[in-house]
Amino acid sequence: MGGKCPHRSVKKRRYSHKTARRTKFELKGDDMVYAQVNKPDEEKTPLPVDEDLPGMGQYYCPHCDRYFSNKTVRDEHFKTKRHRRRVKQMMGPAPHTQLDAELAAGMGMPDNGPKLMSM
């Protein structure tokens, strides 16, 4: 009468909703956010109404690239340490771009030095 449960070897594979949720709101890269934040005010456009985004896409944090359901939630987000770190990061030097990564890996244009003779 004791021992293991006879059904213990059968485990259900549960579908993970985390991966689907993670890809629902893809974050932009740091270089794209940096370019958007440091854009002149004349080039910035008002946010369009989008039914698929939280809060109809009207409550947006450009530094963190996140949408919020209402104004109070967005204002609470502005007080968090995560947001303040992100603002400080975006106000500093420009982050690395894809071109920098390719040049560091040796995939960019070859640098053969200056031309010695012109023909």
Side-chain angles (χ1 to χ4, degrees):
M1 293 223 215
K4 291 184 176 181
C5 176
H7 302 291
R8 189 168 187 122
S9 63
V10 178
K11 292 183 180 179
K12 291 184 179 179
R13 297 227 182 252
R14 292 195 167 90
Y15 178 72
S16 174
H17 294 285
K18 277 187 177 181
T19 55
R21 181 97 176 120
R22 251 186 241 133
T23 58
K24 185 175 182 181
F25 303 109
E26 280 287 327
L27 294 177
K28 296 179 189 170
D30 288 348
D31 52 341
M32 293 174 67
V33 172
Y34 183 83
Q36 181 184 6
V37 168
N38 294 326
K39 194 185 301 184
D41 290 334
E42 298 86 35
E43 295 180 19
K44 293 181 182 176
T45 58
L47 294 171
V49 176
D50 189 357
E51 295 177 0
D52 296 333
L53 295 172
M56 303 290 282
Q58 297 303 304
Y59 308 105
Y60 177 67
C61 174
H63 299 97
C64 302
D65 189 40
R66 287 187 61 191
Y67 289 93
F68 299 96
S69 58
N70 57 30
K71 189 174 183 176
T72 56
V73 176
R74 185 191 64 185
D75 293 342
E76 287 296 318
H77 164 75
F78 288 157
K79 297 176 187 175
T80 61
K81 186 183 287 188
R82 181 178 179 186
H83 173 76
R84 283 187 261 138
R85 283 182 184 162
R86 186 77 172 168
V87 169
K88 191 174 181 181
Q89 179 185 8
M90 290 296 128
M91 293 301 152
H96 296 291
T97 61
Q98 183 65 31
L99 179 63
D100 295 338
E102 289 174 359
L103 289 174
M107 297 171 57
M109 296 286 291
D111 184 18
N112 297 330
K115 289 186 177 181
L116 299 175
M117 293 175 45
S118 60
M119 295 201 177

